[in-house]
Amino acid sequence: MIEVWTDEEALECTMVVPEAPNVRTFAFRAPSGRLFDYRPGQFVTLELPVPGGPIHRTYSISSSPSRPLALSVTVKAQEGSVGTRWMFDHVNVGTRIKASGPAGSFTLGPTDRKYLLISAGSGITPMMSMLSYLYDYGTDPDVRLIACARRPTDLVFPQTLTHMAGRVPGLKLSFAVTEEEPYQVWTGYMGRLNQLMLGTMAPDYLERDVYCCGPEPFMQMVREALSYMGYDMARFRQESFAAPAPVAEVVPDDDVVPDAAASAQVTFARAGVTLDCRETDTILALSRANALRIPYGCTFGICGTCKVRKTKGEVRMVHNGGISDDDVADGWILTCCSHPVGEVEIDA
């Protein structure tokens, strides 16, 4: 019987590969030899023991589930980053890290569909998992990838992708940068991605399911361009771990709206602590203000790291896809976006 890795077992780093300036791939294995089971495009959350206490960071998986002995994340150390910079400085071969997941709904559909994958910068990470899976699947996929970066040296995986495309006729690549490197020839596209370039790179875009990952302004540009070009946006999917753009919240008539003047009470059953608060407080904010530890990552309902089981009472939860309907039906909540209504008890 094949045993599958669960987040009860720490991951052990087996390889660190520099991919581009400030971008590295960290490969992990399960010390027990268990296999990894996930879907291409999902993410994993790592617990990083930085000075001052552990923090949780969510990273897209760059490896393919078709190669289940290892799991890789490819991360970029942004200016001012704490968690990723700690990984650069401290994670080497043999380092063990706690992790949870895999999770996420930004996943590849059936292998026989036509796809257009559009990425910017390190947003190529989930696309690499999807492309590797299609490459390994054995049938000739019909997929176009558009990868954008500032400079050619900022492109991630260009050699690997070119190698794959050289063996699979149905995989087409387009690279676009906004700046050239001095003393190097660049034969790809120049300039910021726009409608004209999109139409040139993928003239049959109307026939394809589109997946997009990158900074929010980039994804907004792609959304607006495709919508203007008549694309069926019901077939558009995007991934981002940045806070979603604020929008007017639509509240169903029968929903319960938090009242800033109303009192609430949350019992943390494992800690044996009951705290008074307002209905407008989130349970995560309440726990952090009172030094009660609940693991968390994105803090806006995407990554699912702060999921706990609610054992009593009601909450008002507006998440961004970080929890499934089945989990909600089973009593799980995301504490980062759950507001207590009256008296609530959680298993934390």
Side-chain angles (χ1 to χ4, degrees), residues 264-269 271-277 286 290 292 343-345:
Q265 190 177 75
V266 180
T267 296
F268 298 79
V273 174
T274 298
L275 299 171
D276 295 326
C277 61
L286 183 64
N290 291 275
L292 296 171
E343 296 183 4
V344 175
E345 181 181 282

Side-chain angles (χ1 to χ4, degrees), residues 180-193:
E180 292 180 294
E181 300 282 1
Y183 311 110
Q184 293 187 16
V185 176
W186 172 251
T187 57
Y189 289 86
M190 278 291 300
R192 295 187 183 278
L193 188 65

